[in-house]
Amino acid sequence: MNFDLTKEQKMIRDVVREFAQGEIAPRAREIDRTGQFPLDIIKKMADLDLMGLPFPEKYGGAGADYVSYCLAVEEISRACASTGLTYEAHISLGCMPIYLFGTEEQKEKYLVPLCRGECLGAFGLTEPNAGSDAGATQTTAVEDGDWWVINGSKCFITNASYARFVTITAVTDRALGKRGISNFIVPTDAPGFTIRATYEKMGLHGSNTTELFFDNVRVPKENLLGERNKGFKQFLQVLDGGRIAIAAMAVGIAQACLDAALAYARERVQFGQPIARFQAISFKLADMATNIELARTMYLKAAWLKDQGRPVTKEAAMVKVFASEMATRAALDAIQIHGGYGYMKEFPVERYLRDAKLLEIGEGTSEINRLVIARAIGCYL
Amino acid sequence: MKIVVLPKQTFDTEAKITLDAAGKINREGVNLIMNPYDEFAVEEALRLKEKHGGEVTVVSFGGPKVPDILRQALAMGADKAVHVGDEGLEEIDEHTTATILAKLLRDLEYDLILAGWRAIDDGSAQVAGRVAEILGLPMVNMVIKLDIAEGKAVASREIEGGYEVVEVPLPAVITAQKGLNEPRYPTMKGIMQAKKKPMQKLTIADLGLGGEEVAPKVRARRYYLPSPRSQGKIITGEPAEAAAELVRLLREEAKVV
């Protein structure tokens, strides 16, 4: 048993922390207020080789592991959750399906520019009528000679406005139900493919959230990603990894809550002393710190399991539920500790709450993740 | 061009300094970093390498955590590192460190030696100068701009009220002042590749040194912490009266006006 990070993991965490606190954190409030996508920050992240962090060097990656990547997600999200989500979706949802299921040619063509940060990665899974019930996908792909013809739509898709291509799920054999779904790589400039980013969101304003519309979009046969009709299993595997990273994001936001609330509680004087000295406040902070430590330890364990190539479905679901719900509570407590100031946009904690809430929903709701856990421990035998 | 940089590991700038039971500076649990002025030196070496080609070697003397800062320099882009351990040395001073570094440098090839002008911990600003003296090299201190051409270094340094531009033949020792450059973040690939770069570990005995040669000439007799800052005083009352009271206190109590 060894809980130490490796020297490389530690250095990656420290460098990303310094970069995120120095270059991203000072911009977070403005990014939230304007909803402007921070392309210049993404460019700097690409210059640091962050955009391909956990992928081999031969695909333009940095050759680090999933643990390092999750540490980076935590640090970036601690500074700005919008940027954290952009990064998480790029790696876990954009790059990962191509890395896991792509042919050598597909990796050369699609993974390399993603890792270099030349464009952002996006994954089109959710549909208006297929959220938690992802097997109910309605988008279809029909074979036509050397082509697939895609029709349908997707919603809540992160990063697509800045993507050159999007990996999507589509039904290729209606009779097989969820066993008739396949993944396709669709270039964003394909005729009939429309991307719209008009959502008004509660938080994560600096993350690009889009709808995708496919009107007889034709992609060549070789754009099928992975085996035909194996799409459902494939995206479940992709989501396992994504959930660990979402947990790391949650830890980052919760850490930011603790940083802000602790600093405030030490400075804010009431009844003649800093409110951090009152048990009502200090115990809130103690609980926050405890929960953050637990969630961090668990995401690191899950990421380590993934690095070892071991099964991680249950652990990923566990830490996703625990960390995301923990982050929302941390944000609520941070607001409470700030009192009236916490309700004001002058302080960052109301933003943390709006940003944290999404993590209980995206990449598998808490309810779906509890279902995964209950299934894994044998409730439904 | 072959460049050697001499970084030192220091306490984090935000570290809280405490004394242990023996009255020595407590090193337990303190976050250690590369001395910030040495980061400027490493960055300058890398920029010179990028411009002129060559090789950057980082050399540091100190305890078992020193490889951390050497690895940082390798991750930034330095080519190789040498760590001289401090095993067997109870006490050291600037003479000790400079003697050890200079001895090692005699075995290395270099056109330029770079270091920070001082370390942020003891701040004595002596080691680079002593190394230059032992090796018989010209030295320019507190440099904010550096150009290398035709076997010469042209360096700008701040002096009282202005700047001085000096020229020295290479090899030379140059020390970095804030303003020389903005150190880069190590890239992720740099971090991953650092572990494949050579890091040599030497002892003082390996350098053929020991005993009196490296014994300190200066010994710290006592360390003590500054007394805690006393509470400020708020003078209340009408502005005119308060101002008069402030002047009285400044004159009679603080004795500064």
Side-chain angles (χ1 to χ4, degrees):
Chain A
M1 196 75 185
N2 180 358
F3 281 100
D4 281 328
L5 299 177
T6 66
K7 291 182 170 67
E8 288 75 28
Q9 290 162 348
K10 192 172 170 300
M11 203 189 294
I12 286 171
R13 181 199 62 194
D14 291 349
V15 168
V16 176
R17 178 179 298 169
E18 203 183 323
F19 167 75
Q21 290 303 316
E23 315 272 339
I24 306 178
R27 299 267 305 280
R29 186 178 168 193
E30 193 61 13
I31 288 169
D32 175 63
R33 197 180 66 79
T34 61
Q36 208 153 59
F37 193 79
L39 264 180
D40 60 322
I41 290 176
I42 304 300
K43 168 79 174 59
K44 285 181 184 170
M45 287 167 61
D47 290 343
L48 288 178
D49 314 318
L50 278 165
M51 302 313 277
L53 182 58
F55 302 107
E57 283 187 40
K58 66 171 172 172
Y59 302 125
D65 53 13
Y66 211 71
V67 166
S68 300
Y69 157 63
C70 287
L71 290 165
V73 168
E74 181 190 333
E75 292 302 334
I76 294 166
S77 305
R78 181 179 176 181
C80 171
S82 287
T83 309
L85 184 64
T86 300
Y87 182 55
E88 190 275 341
H90 167 78
I91 300 260
S92 290
L93 303 180
C95 300
M96 201 52 93
I98 296 166
Y99 176 64
L100 289 175
F101 311 116
T103 61
E104 261 327 289
E105 292 74 35
Q106 286 172 330
K107 288 179 194 176
E108 280 295 324
K109 188 170 176 188
Y110 300 109
L111 186 57
V112 170
L114 288 173
C115 286
R116 289 187 183 145
E118 291 168 15
C119 54
L120 286 178
F123 186 48
L125 172 62
T126 300
E127 297 185 2
N129 295 312
S132 288
D133 184 9
T137 300
Q138 292 174 327
T139 298
T140 56
V142 176
E143 247 179 321
D144 178 17
D146 287 339
W147 300 82
W148 289 96
V149 182
I150 299 169
N151 279 288
S153 67
K154 301 281 173 183
C155 60
F156 310 143
I157 307 308
T158 306
N159 287 346
S161 300
Y162 301 93
R164 271 188 216 156
F165 45 87
V166 181
T167 302
I168 64 145
T169 55
V171 175
T172 35
D173 191 338
R174 179 72 69 197
L176 294 174
K178 65 185 185 186
R179 282 182 193 81
I181 295 173
S182 306
N183 285 318
F184 295 91
I185 300 170
V186 186
T188 50
D189 61 2
F193 187 178
T194 311
I195 297 171
R196 197 165 73 186
T198 53
Y199 288 115
E200 290 186 51
K201 293 177 291 182
M202 173 178 175
L204 295 166
H205 293 155
S207 161
N208 172 247
T209 313
T210 67
E211 294 169 280
L212 314 180
F213 302 95
F214 304 96
D215 179 16
N216 285 317
V217 175
R218 298 174 81 83
V219 297
K221 278 215 141 153
E222 67 260 24
N223 282 30
L224 176 72
L225 179 65
E227 269 184 78
R228 185 173 177 170
N229 294 340
K230 290 284 166 61
F232 190 78
K233 268 182 100 163
Q234 289 172 358
F235 73 67
L236 286 185
Q237 194 184 337
V238 167
L239 289 180
D240 280 349
R243 284 166 185 168
I244 305 169
I246 289 288
M249 249 197 96
V251 171
I253 297 175
Q255 182 68 52
C257 291
L258 177 62
D259 296 341
L262 181 61
Y264 182 83
R266 278 179 178 160
E267 278 176 17
R268 170 70 169 172
V269 173
Q270 289 288 271
F271 303 104
Q273 55 179 327
I275 61 170
R277 290 178 185 263
F278 293 113
Q279 205 177 64
I281 302 300
S282 64
F283 279 21
K284 272 194 181 66
L285 292 164
D287 284 348
M288 241 191 246
T290 305
N291 283 314
I292 289 167
E293 193 63 31
L294 289 170
R296 183 180 289 129
T297 305
M298 186 63 188
Y299 90 59
L300 288 169
K301 177 186 171 179
W304 176 83
L305 285 170
K306 183 169 160 55
D307 281 331
Q308 304 305 310
R310 308 244 286 259
V312 73
T313 301
K314 181 182 71 178
E315 288 79 3
M318 284 175 163
V319 71
K320 204 276 192 182
V321 170
F322 182 80
S324 60
E325 295 184 353
M326 178 279 292
T328 300
R329 275 200 313 276
L332 284 168
D333 279 345
I335 292 172
Q336 193 67 19
I337 289 168
H338 280 70
Y341 292 111
Y343 202 69
M344 300 295 143
K345 299 221 166 189
E346 187 186 347
F347 284 82
V349 286
E350 63 82 32
R351 181 179 92 234
Y352 297 157
L353 178 65
R354 290 184 287 108
D355 289 349
K357 183 62 193 173
L358 184 270
L359 306 185
E360 294 177 56
I361 300 167
E363 298 191 38
T365 58
S366 287
E367 292 72 18
I368 284 296
N369 278 294
R370 285 195 169 84
L371 185 72
V372 170
I373 299 162
R375 195 179 282 147
I377 64 173
C379 289
Y380 308 135
L381 290 178
Chain B
M1 188 161 74
K2 291 187 188 302
I3 307 170
V4 179
V5 190
L6 309 175
K8 178 185 184 182
Q9 192 170 43
T10 60
F11 279 24
D12 193 333
T13 45
E14 285 165 22
K16 195 170 154 44
I17 311 289
T18 57
L19 299 180
D20 62 19
K24 294 265 172 62
I25 293 166
N26 194 352
R27 305 183 72 88
E28 281 299 307
V30 175
N31 196 26
L32 300 171
I33 59 165
M34 187 192 298
N35 174 39
Y37 293 103
D38 297 338
E39 274 193 43
F40 301 137
V42 171
E43 176 64 33
E44 196 64 17
L46 296 175
R47 289 184 189 196
L48 288 169
K49 183 183 100 167
E50 283 156 8
K51 197 167 164 191
H52 302 283
E55 185 181 67
V56 175
T57 305
V58 282
V59 174
S60 188
F61 159 68
K65 290 190 175 159
V66 162
D68 290 349
I69 62 159
L70 294 176
R71 215 169 284 114
Q72 181 189 339
L74 294 175
M76 287 170 77
D79 299 285
K80 54 185 185 172
V82 185
H83 169 212
V84 184
D86 63 357
E87 299 88 349
L89 290 179
E90 285 292 305
E91 272 189 273
I92 61 162
D93 70 350
E94 294 82 359
H95 160 74
T96 312
T97 305
T99 304
I100 290 165
L101 292 175
K103 187 74 194 286
L104 175 69
L105 281 160
R106 285 188 194 283
D107 295 333
L108 297 180
E109 281 180 61
Y110 55 83
D111 303 296
L112 181 65
I113 297 170
L114 285 165
W117 81 271
R118 68 173 183 125
I120 58 161
D121 47 10
D122 53 33
S124 70
Q126 289 190 31
V127 170
R130 284 171 177 266
V131 167
E133 178 66 20
I134 297 169
L135 297 174
L137 298 177
M139 174 178 184
V140 189
N141 223 349
M142 298 177 76
V143 167
I144 52 163
K145 187 171 184 297
L146 180 63
D147 289 304
I148 303 288
E150 294 159 13
K152 286 181 295 201
V154 177
S156 305
R157 52 190 301 275
E158 267 178 75
I159 55 172
E160 189 62 42
Y163 300 92
E164 179 182 47
V165 181
V166 295
E167 182 185 296
V168 287
L170 298 182
V173 177
I174 306 275
T175 70
Q177 165 68 310
K178 188 176 167 63
L180 179 62
N181 54 46
E182 195 59 50
R184 68 193 67 190
Y185 296 104
T187 65
M188 301 297 118
K189 279 182 197 167
I191 292 170
M192 297 308 292
Q193 283 159 1
K195 65 180 164 189
K196 295 175 204 148
K197 292 178 176 175
M199 170 134 38
Q200 196 182 4
K201 170 71 205 291
L202 295 173
T203 62
I204 292 155
D206 291 335
L207 296 174
L209 289 171
E212 274 308 298
E213 287 169 300
V214 290
K217 291 177 186 282
V218 176
R219 286 204 154 82
R221 293 180 58 173
R222 188 162 86 89
Y223 291 98
Y224 59 95
L225 297 170
S227 48
R229 212 173 63 169
S230 54
Q231 280 266 317
K233 195 177 272 184
I234 293 171
I235 301 165
T236 53
E238 288 301 312
E241 289 165 26
E245 176 65 4
L246 173 64
V247 171
R248 188 188 70 78
L249 289 173
L250 287 173
R251 181 170 305 195
E252 293 172 18
E253 219 166 82
K255 298 191 168 65
V256 292
V257 289

